[in-house]
Every structure is written in C-alpha cells, then in structure tokens.
Amino acid sequence: MDPSAFWSNLPFSGLTTFCIAYASLMVLIMCTLMYLRQRKQAYLLMAAAFFFIMTYEGLNIHLLLSGEPLLHTQDVYRPLQLFSLVLLNLAVLLLYHRMRRLYYGFIFICGTLLLIPVLLQASPDTFASVLFYDVLEWAVIAGSFLFVAPYIRQRRRYILGLSGYAVWAGVHGFHSYIDANPDMLPLLDLLSGLPLLFYSVIFLMLFQRMIEQMQSIYRSSITDGLTGLYNRRYFMKHLERYVSQGVKVAAIFCDIDNFKKLNDTQGHARADEVLKQAACILEEELEGRGLAGRYGGEELVALVVSRGSKASLVAEKIRRRIEEETIVTVSVGYSSLRKGVTGEALMKQADQAMYHSKASGKNQVTDFRTLHSRSRTAGGAPLELEG
C-alpha cells in the first residue's frame, strides 16, 4: 500500500484513532512514572485505563491497515472500550479522594458484566449484545455525572469533556439501531473526535492536579504546619538574600507573653488556637510590606521591606492588635539593617530588643537602636551592633 495514498484516503475517524493511540501511550508512561514516585492509586487506575484505550485503538489501527480484525477479536472491542471508560472516570474521582474497598468491588462487578456476552459466546453484532453494552455504557456515563462530577475540583472542565463523549455515544448508539444508515457516516466520522476531546480534558485535569500537588509539597516544605507562616529556614534564607542585595529591611521579633502558663492552664489545643490567631494578625499586617514567619515555639518574626512602612509602626500595630483581639499579649523588639550587619546578626538584635521588652514588663515594643544608645550612655557593655 502506498503510504501517501493511505493517509490521503484515511477518514477523519482513522486519524483520530492514531491520535488517541499515541496520546494514550504518552499518558500511560506519565501515569506509570507518577505512580512509581507517589504510589497514588489514581495514577495506577489511569495508567490501566489508557493501556486499555491504547489496546482498543491499536486493534482499530490494525483493522484500518489490514481490513480485518486481529485474530477475530472483534468481540472484545466493546468490553475494552467500556472497561477503560469505567477505570478512567474512577481514576478522575481518585485524583481528589482516597481509594476505598467499595471501588475495588465496583471494578470487579463492571469487569464481570462486560465479559458476560464474551463468555456466552454471543455475537457482538446481535441486537441483544449491542443493547446490553449500550445500557452499561450509559449507566457508566450517568454514574460519572452523578457520582464523580460533584466531588472533584475541575468540575466544569470534566463535565464538558464527558458531555462530548456522551454526544458521541448517543449518535453512535442511535446509528447502530437503524441498520447502519450510510447517510449518517459523515456525521459519525466528524463526531469521532469527541472521545479524543474527552481524553484530552482528562489529560489536562491530570496535569493540573499534578501541578497542584507539587505546589502543595513545595508549600509544606517552606511553611510551618500549625500557623501557615514561613518556617525558620525559608525566612532566614530570604533575609540573607535581602541583606546580600542591599535591601533596606527591618526585622521584628515577637514572643507571646506567658505562653507556657497558657499551655499549662488551658491546654495545648487552646494554646495552639491562640498562636494561630497571633500568626494571622502578623500575616495580615505584613501583607504587601514583607513576610512573616514562625521562628520557633511561641516566637513569631517578620521582615519589613516596604519603603513606605516604618518598622516601629508595624511592630506597634501588631502588639496592639494581638492585645485587643486575643487573650494574650506579646513582647516585641525590632531592628533595622545597618551596613556590615548580617541577617543572623539582625535577628539577634531584634531578639535582644524583644527580651528587653519582656524584662521591662512585657506587652511593649523596643527599638534595638534606642536600647543600644541607652546602653552606651549608661556606660554598660555595648550591645552587639555589628555582624
């Protein structure tokens, strides 16, 4: 067969078949790699689904090339197609939910039902076989609309793809009941691209979900699990970057007063709740001005990098809001970056200022520069000012 003649005479449905087979292979490889990395059941089921889709379309490709079904296996075409549909829609649900034992039973029941005509050696072209498979297909489609679409995040995208598949299934099924009317062949050929649309939507959903999971993993690596603020390592990394770039930055160090007493008298759950309230206030006050973090325990820290914001005003606003909106108070210290001071030294200065607030009666704000000047005037040992 002349290749150029083959491709020029290939109907649109045949081209779609090649596209689906290739796309299925790519998604199969991607899902297999993701499953080996994360062991998430959704990737395994999706890999299995696209394996069956690839097998089904591979049989169709053989039929296009040779004109005859491979090893007279036309009786397994329909079960392969429908079983892949079952696995695919279940995999979409599992992208957002955990695998349950009920789902294993559902897969087994669907697989058994699809094999009934094959085991009975019924011809796939008989009215009973066609009706049986069509009923199962529409049961899967309806079940997907009712039990999958409402429980996933990318709902509209999924409904769009599944609706396209439903249109294709409806027209294809109608055609099978009217003795293969040749007038419908152009329409069937045109609508053959709808399953490819559905599979493309599933791929986009899978890709989007992978991005969400990677973002979640990255977010959890740089934030504190309890407060949601940046963790100490990420916070200090940004501070050192600001210092190296010569950014005008000020560090604020907050320590919740009598936090241990709160833990002992009202319990850890209540103490954690108060800590989260204080962290929320800190985050709100630093929005657009810098970043907030949890240094450790009941110690909360912040960096003010906005030129239009004064660290003294931000620190005082944080102290006042925590006093007014929670059942605790905070002792606060802050220090502005000077030439020759490292990020670690800047945090130490703010920490020293905070300890002065705590030693002087708590629930107050201390500027390290003022504290340093007082120390020099009093003739005491000067506080550390250089890095």
Side-chain angles (χ1 to χ4, degrees):
M1 179 185 297
D2 183 9
S4 60
F6 171 78
W7 289 107
S8 61
N9 296 324
L10 186 68
F12 180 71
S13 58
L15 180 62
T16 301
T17 296
F18 278 95
C19 291
I20 292 177
Y22 177 76
S24 298
L25 176 61
M26 295 297 100
V27 180
L28 169 62
I29 294 173
M30 183 174 68
C31 289
T32 301
L33 293 175
M34 289 302 298
Y35 175 74
L36 293 175
R37 186 179 183 87
Q38 297 187 14
R39 298 294 176 178
K40 186 175 177 61
Q41 294 294 330
Y43 298 132
L44 181 63
L45 281 184
M46 195 163 288
F50 278 102
F51 171 78
F52 287 121
I53 292 171
M54 185 178 64
T55 303
Y56 166 76
E57 297 298 348
L59 293 173
N60 285 331
I61 290 173
H62 182 273
L63 183 62
L64 285 171
L65 294 175
S66 66
E68 296 182 357
L70 181 63
L71 300 176
H72 304 287
T73 55
Q74 65 268 31
D75 54 341
V76 301
Y77 278 45
R78 195 77 165 120
L80 278 175
Q81 176 203 358
L82 295 182
F83 193 58
S84 65
L85 182 64
V86 170
L87 295 180
L88 193 58
N89 286 283
L90 183 57
V92 170
L93 179 64
L94 293 180
L95 285 175
Y96 301 93
H97 301 277
R98 292 183 178 181
M99 187 70 170
R100 300 179 181 178
R101 292 183 180 180
L102 175 66
Y103 299 151
Y104 291 111
F106 176 73
I107 294 173
F108 176 78
I109 291 173
C110 289
T112 302
L113 289 174
L114 292 172
L115 287 176
I116 288 178
V118 178
L119 296 176
L120 295 177
Q121 297 183 345
S123 172
D125 299 325
T126 62
F127 178 81
S129 295
V130 171
L131 180 62
F132 179 79
Y133 285 130
D134 283 347
V135 169
L136 288 180
E137 182 173 44
W138 280 103
V140 173
I141 294 174
S144 299
F145 276 114
L146 294 174
F147 302 110
V148 177
Y151 303 103
I152 60 176
R153 292 181 188 172
Q154 303 180 59
R155 187 176 301 111
R156 293 182 180 177
R157 183 180 293 175
Y158 174 73
I159 291 176
L160 174 64
L162 188 60
S163 298
Y165 189 93
V167 170
W168 173 81
V171 174
H172 192 273
F174 178 75
H175 177 256
S176 65
Y177 291 106
I178 57 174
D179 298 327
N181 189 339
D183 295 335
M184 290 190 65
L185 292 179
L187 178 61
L188 284 174
D189 186 57
L190 181 63
L191 294 180
S192 64
L194 290 178
L196 178 59
L197 170 65
F198 178 52
Y199 300 144
S200 299
V201 167
I202 298 298
F203 170 75
L204 291 176
M205 292 178 64
L206 172 66
F207 189 71
Q208 178 65 32
R209 183 56 176 159
M210 289 168 57
I211 292 177
E212 291 174 358
Q213 290 180 330
M214 287 188 291
Q215 289 175 336
S216 177
I217 293 172
Y218 174 70
R219 179 71 183 176
S220 64
S221 71
I222 64 174
T223 57
D224 171 62
L226 177 63
T227 63
L229 300 179
Y230 291 116
N231 58 33
R232 181 171 178 172
R233 181 172 61 86
Y234 183 83
F235 183 89
M236 292 302 298
K237 178 181 178 181
H238 268 259
L239 174 56
E240 294 295 348
R241 189 184 71 179
Y242 291 143
V243 172
S244 65
Q245 293 175 350
V247 177
K248 186 177 180 181
V249 61
I252 299 175
F253 207 109
C254 308
D255 187 275
I256 299 178
D257 299 324
N258 304 315
F259 193 75
K260 184 178 185 303
K261 182 179 178 181
L262 178 65
N263 257 316
D264 295 339
T265 58
Q266 299 193 34
H268 292 287
R270 178 59 172 155
D272 287 347
E273 180 183 346
V274 172
L275 182 60
K276 287 189 285 187
Q277 290 174 345
C280 183
I281 292 172
L282 197 71
E283 190 171 31
E284 289 175 0
E285 291 302 319
L286 269 297
E287 185 175 0
R289 298 173 176 174
L291 57 91
R294 184 182 183 188
Y295 207 66
E298 66 273 23
E299 298 172 335
L300 304 177
V301 290
L303 294 178
V304 180
V305 295
S306 175
R307 292 183 177 181
S309 300
K310 291 186 177 181
S312 58
L313 298 180
V314 176
E316 176 57 30
K317 184 71 175 297
I318 292 170
R319 184 207 64 78
R320 188 176 71 252
R321 282 194 60 188
I322 291 178
E323 180 184 19
E324 294 173 351
E325 299 176 24
T326 72
I327 62 173
V328 296
T329 61
V330 288
S331 297
V332 185
Y334 71 93
S335 181
S336 299
L337 184 66
R338 295 293 186 271
K339 186 176 180 180
V341 177
T342 64
E344 184 178 354
L346 181 66
M347 290 307 301
K348 186 175 180 180
Q349 292 172 6
D351 187 26
Q352 289 177 346
M354 180 275 296
Y355 271 108
H356 182 270
S357 294
K358 192 170 287 289
S360 302
K362 304 178 181 178
N363 191 25
Q364 56 184 287
V365 177
T366 300
D367 179 5
F368 177 80
R369 299 292 295 187
T370 302
L371 183 61
H372 177 74
S373 299
R374 290 176 183 174
S375 177
R376 291 174 61 91
T377 302
L383 299 176
E384 182 179 340
L385 190 59
E386 302 298 326

